[in-house]
Amino acid sequence: MGKKLLIVESPAKAKTIGKYLGGEFVVKSSVGHVRDLPKESGAIRIESVGDGKWTFTPKYVVSEGKEKVVAELKTAVKASDEIYLASDPDREGEAIAWHLHEVLESVAGKKPFKRVTYNEITKSAVLKAVAEPRGIDMPLVDAQQARRILDRIVGYKVSPLLWKNISCANNRSLSAGRVQSVALRLLVERQREIDAFKPETYYLMGVEAKKRHSRSSFIAKLSRLDGEKPSVGDRQSADNLLLDLAGAELAVSAIKAQPKSRHALPPFTTSTLQQASSSVLSYSPGKTMKLAQSLYEKGRITYMRTDSVNVSEQARAAAKAFIEGEYGAAFYPAQPNFFKSKADAQGAHEAIRPTDVALTPERAQADGMDPSELKLYDLVWRRFVASQMADAKTTVKTVSLEARKPALAHSYLFTASATNIDFDGFLKVMNLSLKKKKADGEEDEDTDEVASLPELAEGEILDAARWLADEKMTKGPSHYSEASLIKALEENGVGRPSTYAATIETLKAREYAKNEKKKLIPLERGILVCDWLVKKLDSLFNVGYTAKMESELDKVESDGEPMNDMLSAFYGKFLEAIKACAEPAPDREKFDAVFALLSQVKVWKEPKKVGKRVYDDKAFVESVREQFEEGKKPMSAKQLEYLVRMALMYEQQIPGCAAALKEGGLTGPQAPKPEVVDSELVRWCFDIAERIGGMLKNPFHKSLKDQFERGRGLSPKQFAILARAVGENAGALPDCAEIRAKLIEFVPAGFGAPRVEDPTVPGLLDLMKKVTEWRPTAKKGRKVYDDQAFVQSLADQYDRRRTLSPRQLVALKRVALSYRDQIPGFDEAAAKLGIKDKDSASKGRRKGAADGESEQVEADGGAESES
């Protein structure tokens, strides 16, 4: 029998599944996606075919860093007779399977490719899946491709508009997204509701009642005032009622006992797991999904990306046996519990549940499950077991009390309610508050609920220990938490559960929002972006349209709607919206006026080359003038703004420049003159940087110098960064104190406490000079590890600052230990310098750069740089 190759997504999953399959299978991992759209524009070829329709052809490339993985998989395919594609059972997983097929088909020849899926990584599920393979589901692949294409079009077309129209720090990092921007809009609109809310005072009236000759009491709330729901809005009204009630007694007018049944919640879906994990465990959605992924790959829970609440018959039967054996037959319902999934849920999937219900959280803990994973597993296990159990039976007892006193001005009815649990049912395994909740899910603080009530009889007279008038303030809307934002997105049909964690992380990474006391607070950058999108592209970034688009995307998968038809319907509207938000071209007369001013410039700055770009003021002006005179392409407001700035830069050669610009209406918001720091001070600061030496190796510092030499001043913020770096690195200069005194006004936080020079550093650096053979440079991801360059950078920094940071010193000792065999007399020198073997085995530290595993701390501009 020939060899069979089975490809999964992760190495952890490959290891687990490899144990279940016999020797005829080789299990390999693709480590996620192997192909993706390239980052540059042009990754999607869009061609018009007439009648408002287009074709969308994505151009895929092997993902960065995956060349070695693909090569290994091709080698494995050549050595196999059959290829099984076992990526995850969802849209993304189906797309990965298709990409693997496309990449590997060229070396497979006529060898068959088979698609296998499973919802849990157990031996029985894996063997069943391998025995029942199918082909690749192309509608599912097209649904994923359509989403990817749609997101790329929106991001790459709209984000540059944000860069152009929004002025803020680092505006090139601004981005828009189909789901991301709507989620941001929800946050910003909620913030506006909070800002607009004006709290009002009200008074909650009540009484502390107690049986006569008894010390225990309970609180009853005023539920009816003259037969109506009470509304007491000011202190005077509350005091009048208290005065009226003074001296009154209470009579039990009614006792009502209402039996109730409380149904269990359905087992978790992706979104409800994220919500519960955030609320109960304070885990972020990202952390929740990472832990759930690990539990899934270890075979502990079923697949964690699902919007279905379905449960397999096998799992239902196992739950029944466990519940009846552990708690008794009464705790299993007479008819099994079934829950209805949403209309757009992927029905083939199951809810998130434990793969073995008999593995209780207590057993899992005894087996050594990771503590963080255990907390999440406990949530999943309890929610699933509870979902299969009988209803909880309760009795809500409500007591009505009438105030009695001769000549009362009003009639008063007070009530108090207590809930007694008659039968635990699913509450046996799941702690769930039985208190009444408001519409937003928060517990209602104004209810008449109490923990317990004494035995009472109708007509019984009670004492009023004290009358209550609690001052309260109406509560406005609260900020979204990560859990409530996910709930809002799901309820509105925006995005899909598998994307929510990434969406929230993007909002935080872009500095559009921040987490503060478990609430998501929109930041200024986010508000600026949201306001511009709502003003200019409201039709694309509103909840209703985004939900509609999500539904249309689902049709590609469920109804087999052609991907190009769906995308064409979107693209036509998208182009109209983009065209409508474009700024009108400036008046040609304004260009004439600026060109007339610039024609007076006789001496232009020399062209300056920075990297691959050449900055040439004269050539720029001439190119724009040529475009203007040809009249073939429309002129932009941005071009006019740059020309005005150019005129201001050369105003010494243009008599009356500022006045002429003002008269032509060219000095308003269209072309503000930026605030810059005095050029002489900047030049002096760069001279000090040259004296320090090595500072301009830092790419950012070098870019500031290039900018200054091109004639553009430094903003106060840019100069503050430069001033801080110069001040901190000037420690070895004799006039350091004078330099820092001159720069301190630009660095409000100061230059930090003086660093104490470590006497061991020179000895360490001398030891490293004895190394003759350095390990080869290694690359891991985007990082390059080079021991020799690392040591040299620390030596350069020490020459300037006369100190290294504690992290850098530890890293230097670790590198020294890894070269001890090349350093004569190392042990004796190490003892004097305080280098110990434990320095090479610190937790989280690695050995060297030869295999790309050195955790180096760079100097000046790297991880340890403070400038």
Side-chain angles (χ1 to χ4, degrees), residues 284 482 504-515 520:
S284 70
E482 292 186 343
I504 290 174
E505 289 307 312
T506 298
L507 291 177
K508 292 188 288 188
R510 300 287 184 198
E511 296 181 352
Y512 291 170
K514 67 175 180 178
N515 249 332
L520 282 171

Side-chain angles (χ1 to χ4, degrees), residues 319-334 388-390 423 425-426 428-429:
K320 178 182 180 182
F322 176 82
I323 292 166
E324 291 181 342
E326 191 74 16
Y327 307 111
F331 283 85
Y332 192 79
Q388 301 303 302
M389 294 178 74
F423 174 67
F426 73 92
K428 193 77 172 176
V429 298

Side-chain angles (χ1 to χ4, degrees), residues 306-344:
T306 176
D307 48 10
S308 170
V309 292
N310 294 340
V311 175
S312 70
E313 287 302 322
Q314 182 182 1
R316 199 183 303 281
K320 178 182 180 182
F322 176 82
I323 292 166
E324 291 181 342
E326 191 74 16
Y327 307 111
F331 283 85
Y332 192 79
Q335 296 295 325
N337 293 334
F338 288 91
F339 302 92
K340 188 176 181 181
S341 297
K342 295 190 306 175
D344 57 356

Side-chain angles (χ1 to χ4, degrees), residues 6 12 157 174 253 329 360 420 447 479 484 526 582 651:
L6 186 134
K157 293 288 187 183
L174 299 178
S253 60
T360 63
N420 294 317
T447 67
H479 289 102
S484 60
E651 63 181 329

Side-chain angles (χ1 to χ4, degrees), residues 372-392:
S372 295
E373 292 179 4
L374 178 63
K375 290 178 181 178
L376 191 67
Y377 180 78
D378 183 81
L379 270 186
V380 172
W381 185 89
R382 293 185 187 282
R383 179 77 168 238
F384 170 69
V385 174
S387 76
Q388 301 303 302
M389 294 178 74
D391 293 349

Side-chain angles (χ1 to χ4, degrees), residues 390-424:
D391 293 349
K393 304 293 183 183
T394 63
T395 298
V396 179
K397 183 180 179 181
T398 303
V399 176
S400 300
L401 309 175
E402 288 183 357
R404 292 183 180 179
K405 182 180 102 169
L408 275 174
H410 303 279
S411 66
Y412 301 88
L413 183 68
F414 297 86
T415 60
S417 300
T419 300
N420 294 317
I421 298 176
D422 304 319
F423 174 67
D424 287 321

Side-chain angles (χ1 to χ4, degrees), residues 111-338:
K111 297 173 184 177
F113 283 83
K114 300 178 180 181
R115 175 77 170 116
V116 296
T117 59
Y118 35 79
N119 285 318
E120 60 184 68
I121 303 178
T122 58
K123 186 173 183 178
S124 58
V126 171
L127 292 177
K128 185 174 185 294
V130 169
E132 300 173 357
R134 60 169 173 81
I136 292 175
D137 186 340
M138 284 311 298
L140 205 57
V141 174
D142 285 345
Q144 190 274 346
Q145 287 196 98
R147 277 179 164 77
R148 191 76 181 88
I149 292 170
L150 198 60
D151 290 342
R152 174 58 69 93
I153 290 173
V154 170
Y156 274 49
K157 293 288 187 183
V158 178
S159 295
L161 297 177
L162 299 178
W163 307 341
K164 178 180 177 182
N165 292 284
I166 295 179
S167 297
C168 65
N170 196 22
N171 74 337
R172 280 274 172 170
S173 67
L174 299 178
S175 71
R178 182 175 57 89
V179 176
Q180 162 199 322
S181 297
V182 176
L184 175 62
R185 183 170 182 173
L186 290 177
L187 294 182
V188 173
E189 288 179 347
R190 176 61 60 87
Q191 181 67 57
R192 296 258 160 80
E193 291 172 14
I194 293 169
D195 293 341
F197 179 77
K198 295 180 179 179
E200 296 179 356
T201 302
Y202 71 98
Y203 289 83
L204 191 64
M205 310 298 294
V207 62
E208 183 182 350
K210 66 176 184 176
K211 289 172 69 85
R212 289 187 168 172
H213 313 298
S214 172
R215 291 186 177 180
S216 61
S217 62
F218 62 93
I219 303 296
K221 300 289 176 65
L222 180 63
S223 61
R224 289 291 183 269
L225 178 64
D226 294 330
E228 302 290 336
K229 186 175 180 181
S231 176
V232 184
D234 59 81
R235 182 79 251 180
Q236 186 60 54
S237 298
D239 287 344
N240 290 340
L241 294 176
L242 291 175
L243 187 62
D244 189 35
L245 286 165
E249 63 182 13
L250 298 163
V252 179
S253 60
I255 300 175
K256 180 182 178 183
Q258 184 180 9
K260 288 190 174 183
S261 291
R262 182 68 181 262
H263 303 296
L265 295 168
F268 283 129
T269 61
T270 302
S271 65
T272 55
L273 175 62
Q274 290 173 345
Q275 292 169 48
S277 178
S278 177
S279 300
V280 178
L281 304 177
S282 297
Y283 287 173
S284 70
K287 180 175 181 178
T288 297
M289 295 310 292
K290 182 179 179 181
L291 293 172
Q293 177 88 33
S294 178
L295 287 169
Y296 167 65
E297 292 178 351
K298 292 173 181 176
R300 298 305 192 189
I301 64 172
T302 53
Y303 190 55
M304 66 287 155
R305 292 187 181 90
T306 176
D307 48 10
S308 170
V309 292
N310 294 340
V311 175
S312 70
E313 287 302 322
Q314 182 182 1
R316 199 183 303 281
K320 178 182 180 182
F322 176 82
I323 292 166
E324 291 181 342
E326 191 74 16
Y327 307 111
F331 283 85
Y332 192 79
Q335 296 295 325
N337 293 334
F338 288 91

Side-chain angles (χ1 to χ4, degrees), residues 570-798:
F570 157 78
Y571 195 61
K573 179 173 181 175
F574 179 78
L575 289 180
E576 290 176 7
I578 295 295
K579 184 178 180 181
C581 82
E583 295 289 342
D587 295 336
R588 291 182 66 83
E589 290 78 6
K590 291 186 176 182
F591 279 95
D592 278 327
V594 183
F595 283 131
L597 292 173
L598 288 168
S599 65
Q600 301 177 55
V601 177
K602 304 302 181 185
V603 181
W604 295 90
K605 285 183 170 55
E606 289 295 320
K608 175 78 174 178
K609 186 174 183 181
V610 180
K612 295 181 179 179
R613 298 183 66 178
V614 176
Y615 294 88
D616 187 330
D617 294 348
K618 183 179 181 181
F620 168 73
V621 172
E622 291 304 320
S623 69
V624 178
R625 191 197 301 272
E626 184 178 337
Q627 177 186 332
F628 176 75
E629 291 173 350
E630 286 180 354
K632 295 179 180 178
K633 290 174 63 179
M635 307 302 291
S636 72
K638 202 74 172 176
Q639 288 173 311
L640 181 59
E641 179 182 339
Y642 281 133
L643 289 173
V644 172
R645 286 183 177 179
M646 195 74 70
L648 289 169
M649 191 184 302
Y650 288 90
E651 63 181 329
Q652 291 182 344
Q653 299 184 51
I654 307 172
C657 176
L661 290 173
K662 185 175 181 180
E663 184 179 346
L666 290 163
T667 55
Q670 191 174 35
K673 189 171 182 178
E675 181 185 359
V676 295
V677 177
D678 179 70
S679 60
E680 290 303 317
L681 180 60
V682 175
R683 185 173 290 106
W684 172 83
C685 201
F686 279 122
D687 288 343
I688 300 298
E690 294 282 3
R691 286 176 58 198
I692 292 170
M695 272 193 64
L696 296 181
K697 291 179 181 178
N698 181 302
F700 179 69
H701 298 155
K702 186 176 184 301
S703 72
L704 292 181
K705 191 166 192 297
D706 291 338
Q707 173 183 321
F708 180 69
E709 289 180 347
R710 292 200 309 271
R712 290 180 56 199
L714 299 192
S715 70
K717 193 168 185 179
Q718 289 174 319
F719 185 72
I721 297 171
L722 177 64
R724 183 183 177 197
V726 168
E728 288 183 341
N729 284 280
L733 298 181
D735 53 346
C736 172
E738 291 84 353
I739 292 169
R740 289 179 174 174
K742 190 169 183 177
L743 295 175
I744 190 64
E745 66 175 289
F746 302 96
V747 190
F751 300 105
R755 296 185 178 183
V756 179
E757 184 174 342
D758 191 319
T760 65
V761 175
L764 275 168
L765 293 172
D766 285 342
L767 285 181
M768 298 311 298
K769 291 177 182 177
K770 299 177 182 179
V771 177
T772 55
E773 293 185 18
W774 296 91
R775 292 187 178 90
T777 300
K779 185 175 182 182
K780 189 172 184 180
R782 295 184 178 182
K783 291 187 176 182
V784 176
Y785 296 88
D786 185 330
D787 287 352
Q788 186 176 15
F790 170 64
V791 172
Q792 186 59 50
S793 72
L794 295 187
D796 292 343
Q797 176 181 319
Y798 187 75

